[in-house]
Amino acid sequence: MRRPGKMTAEVLRHLTLKPATRLYPAQPAVMPPNFRGKLIFHAARCTGCKLCQKDCPAGALEIRKVGEKRFEAVFRFDHCIYCAQCVDSCNRDAMESTPEFELAVLDRSTLRVTYHAIEAPPVAVAVVEGGAPAPAKPE
Ligand code: SF4
Ligand code: SF4
């Protein structure tokens, strides 16, 4: 018969150790630096070069021009493989990976997300003396 001494010592040793696992989701998970989670788009920095769109291996990203120097980004987070290639391709820091990873949904249509363009600048109006306001002409 094998003596239980070695196993008992091992069991007692583990009783005093902290758990190797985390109590997620009861406790929030802290993701490591540079984690490649959900993407965000900084519309004010985008120049519309579309390098990110061209380099996306999953066809999960579309950059749309919606006005003069105004661009919006449409992500398909159900197609995205979270490789962050778009972040690397953008030399304007307009793409950013976040630590957000809890993206499971019942309705996948909600994973199509549009980050809208920056607000259009107000249209300048030149007031003609004695007449109706006329649109300003570019210089
Ligand atoms: S997000 Fe960056 S890479 Fe993509 S179109 Fe805008 S400037 Fe170009
Ligand atoms: S993280 Fe990768 S797959 Fe997702 S949009 Fe960016 S380049 Fe495409």
Side-chain angles (χ1 to χ4, degrees):
M1 186 178 146
R2 296 179 71 180
R3 288 170 50 181
K6 193 172 178 184
M7 188 178 82
T8 304
E10 191 68 9
V11 169
L12 291 174
R13 190 174 75 83
H14 278 83
L15 285 177
T16 61
L17 292 178
K18 284 186 177 174
T21 52
R22 295 186 183 146
L23 291 176
Y24 177 82
Q27 291 176 359
V30 179
M31 307 317 289
N34 299 326
F35 180 79
R36 300 191 299 253
K38 185 177 179 179
L39 296 144
I40 54 175
F41 172 66
H42 300 283
R45 300 176 190 164
C46 180
T47 59
C49 69
K50 297 196 178 184
L51 275 178
C52 53
Q53 179 181 314
K54 288 175 192 150
D55 290 348
C56 174
L61 165 62
E62 185 184 355
I63 300 290
R64 293 179 180 161
K65 182 170 185 175
V66 294
E68 190 60 32
K69 296 183 180 175
R70 296 174 60 235
F71 304 92
E72 67 180 17
V74 182
F75 287 96
R76 294 289 307 266
F77 287 124
D78 53 338
H79 290 198
C80 179
I81 58 172
Y82 302 94
C83 61
Q85 179 59 57
C86 51
V87 178
D88 290 342
S89 297
C90 181
N91 57 16
R92 304 287 303 209
D93 292 334
M95 293 286 174
E96 184 182 346
S97 284
T98 71
E100 189 177 345
F101 68 96
E102 293 168 313
L103 303 175
V105 291
L106 293 175
D107 177 7
R108 69 184 296 175
S109 69
T110 61
L111 293 174
R112 185 186 174 99
V113 175
T114 301
Y115 289 91
H116 293 288
I118 53 172
E119 291 288 316
V123 177
V125 174
V127 178
V128 181
E129 216 169 295
K137 288 183 182 161
E139 292 179 6

